[in-house]
Amino acid sequence: MSDNTEKLRKLVFRGLIASRLPRLLEPLLGGEGAILAAHRVTGSKGTRNGFNSHLVIHPVFLDELIAEMKAHGFVFVSMDEAIDRIGSGFSKERFAALTLDDAFRDNLIEALPVLEKHETPFTVYVAPGLTDGHVEPWWEIVEAAIEHSSDGRVRLATPRGSVVFDCTTDAAQSASFAEICRILSEEIAEEEQTDVVCDLARSAGIECEQFRNLYLMNWGEIATIAAHPLCSIGAHTVNHYNLKRLTEDKAFWEIAEAVNILNERLGTRPCHLAYPYGFEKAVGAREARLAHDAGFKSAVTMKHGIIHKGHARHLHSLPRISVNGRYQKLEYLSTMLSGVTTPMANRGRMVVTV
């Protein structure tokens, strides 16, 4: 996201908040509830540039957000109960389901005490390939490589040959991060990303493994959080690939095999799925059909939206409200949860699907 885009969005938020339209329109636009999407929850100091800061929220903000939502009438439920509620009409209370993607270690260490305090159910979506090290959290590695490059340069192997990126100034680092992420997402095959990004990391004098060991839960820690009565484990595919970039057979294997691996490792078969990345270029109607065919009860995207009764016909393409580290103000989340931003972000649509 560019700085200008973020500034414009915050300006829109401030205008909406000042107008009081969100509160006035909430009875019409607020729907049945919301599925919240978060990733890292930590109070530790982030990187200097904060390229991935949208994926990090502070435990204090999570605490405040849950308390505020409860005070506003939301009831927090598991994904199982959320699916049962959609379109049923049996409750006038708006529900909230909290989801955490990628199984970061801070979910266990820093988020869990907050969730226990509020007795808040939550779902952790696990990608076994990330846990096992078959793939890496490349977005974190790219940021670290750019920030810690010893000679102010990093090298990326591309289909056009090796490309050297300037990292000598903040502006150069920002431009390099954006372009490297674009190349990895659009030009490098999903199955080749890990090798390419680990070569990039070595060009900056760092090793990929340290990030998995530092940031992600191991299987023992995942088993610990999975055993907690508030926790449900969902699938995040096997290798966290962009499914739209795969053939249909490979995409189905990524979706279905994650169930088998998690069942073998944890002794339970997950029935809820989160699509990796979850935006329009990563999930569409084909992926929703594959998730249905694999037997999942639900599948969530990262498309912005509130849950409405019409989603009962689209349980494998459910939108979420991102709890974004760059928008850690209760007023911003309250505005999103009112439903007023859903049609603004989706060309007028209220029932957001793929």
Side-chain angles (χ1 to χ4, degrees):
M1 180 190 299
S2 70
D3 287 342
N4 287 336
T5 300
E6 185 174 328
K7 288 177 182 177
L8 177 60
R9 288 181 179 174
K10 288 183 176 178
L11 182 63
V12 171
F13 273 119
R14 288 194 287 271
L16 287 169
I17 293 164
S19 73
R20 308 192 73 176
L21 275 176
R23 289 290 186 230
L24 292 173
L25 294 177
E26 188 169 23
L28 295 174
L29 305 179
E32 295 189 327
I35 302 172
L36 305 181
H39 291 77
R40 299 193 62 205
V41 182
T42 180
S44 63
K45 183 180 179 181
T47 57
R48 182 171 60 84
N49 284 313
F51 296 138
N52 291 303
S53 62
H54 62 293
L55 300 176
V56 186
I57 62 170
H58 199 286
V60 172
F61 180 69
L62 179 62
D63 186 0
E64 293 172 346
L65 176 61
I66 294 173
E68 173 71 13
M69 289 179 66
K70 285 186 171 182
H72 195 61
F74 280 92
V75 56
F76 280 83
V77 301
S78 67
M79 278 300 295
D80 278 338
E81 185 172 339
I83 298 308
D84 289 342
R85 282 173 173 254
I86 296 174
S88 68
F90 75 79
S91 176
K92 292 184 179 180
E93 294 176 309
R94 295 174 73 200
F95 71 82
L98 176 64
T99 62
L100 299 159
D101 291 6
D102 301 332
F104 285 101
R105 179 170 288 113
D106 51 51
N107 295 177
L108 174 66
I109 297 172
E110 298 183 69
L112 183 57
V114 176
L115 302 174
E116 288 176 324
K117 171 185 174 181
H118 292 283
E119 298 182 342
T120 301
F122 62 97
T123 298
V124 177
Y125 290 110
V126 179
L130 279 174
T131 308
D132 285 330
H134 300 313
V135 291
E136 301 286 354
W138 60 262
W139 50 95
E140 300 283 356
I141 295 167
V142 171
E143 179 172 1
I146 287 174
E147 187 164 310
H148 295 105
S149 172
S150 58
D151 63 356
R153 297 181 298 174
V154 295
R155 296 167 183 81
L156 183 74
T158 78
R160 307 184 301 276
S162 180
V163 178
V164 177
F165 289 89
D166 178 18
C167 303
T168 54
T169 67
D170 287 349
Q173 289 184 5
S174 181
S176 294
F177 179 80
E179 179 62 7
I180 291 170
C181 288
R182 187 198 66 77
I183 292 171
L184 285 166
S185 300
E186 297 179 7
E187 298 183 18
I188 307 297
E190 295 293 304
E191 299 91 337
E192 298 173 6
Q193 282 176 342
T194 293
D195 288 342
V196 171
V197 82
C198 286
D199 284 343
L200 170 82
R202 282 189 285 272
S203 80
I206 58 179
E207 294 295 328
C208 281
E209 291 79 4
Q210 71 188 76
F211 294 92
R212 181 175 67 257
N213 295 334
L214 178 64
Y215 290 131
L216 297 175
M217 284 188 272
N218 59 39
W219 283 113
E221 290 165 325
I222 292 173
T224 296
I225 202 167
H228 197 285
L230 291 172
C231 181
S232 300
I233 297 295
H236 205 22
T237 74
V238 176
N239 290 305
H240 202 279
Y241 292 153
N242 180 330
L243 296 174
K244 266 195 171 182
R245 300 187 71 209
L246 305 179
T247 65
E248 183 164 329
D249 286 346
K250 286 184 178 180
F252 183 74
W253 184 88
E254 284 287 329
I255 291 170
E257 185 61 19
V259 177
N260 297 327
I261 296 172
L262 290 170
N263 183 45
E264 179 182 349
R265 290 284 194 167
L266 304 173
T268 57
R269 297 182 68 83
C271 56
H272 303 286
L273 173 73
Y275 302 107
Y277 309 109
F279 46 70
E280 191 169 355
K281 289 185 177 180
V283 56
R286 184 192 73 167
E287 289 67 41
R289 171 172 55 81
L290 295 178
H292 174 274
D293 292 348
F296 284 98
K297 289 175 61 176
S298 79
V300 294
T301 72
M302 282 300 295
K303 298 194 76 172
H304 176 83
I306 291 293
I307 301 299
H308 292 269
K309 64 180 180 180
H311 281 109
R313 299 187 299 276
H314 302 281
L315 296 178
H316 298 90
S317 52
L318 297 173
R320 290 190 283 180
I321 297 295
S322 175
V323 187
N324 186 313
R326 295 175 183 151
Y327 294 82
Q328 292 188 76
K329 288 189 176 182
L330 294 178
E331 295 91 342
Y332 292 158
L333 268 295
S334 294
T335 301
M336 297 181 206
L337 291 167
S338 74
V340 71
T341 56
T342 296
M344 294 174 63
N346 296 281
R347 298 183 290 277
R349 285 193 300 160
M350 292 301 302
V351 179
V352 179
T353 60
V354 291

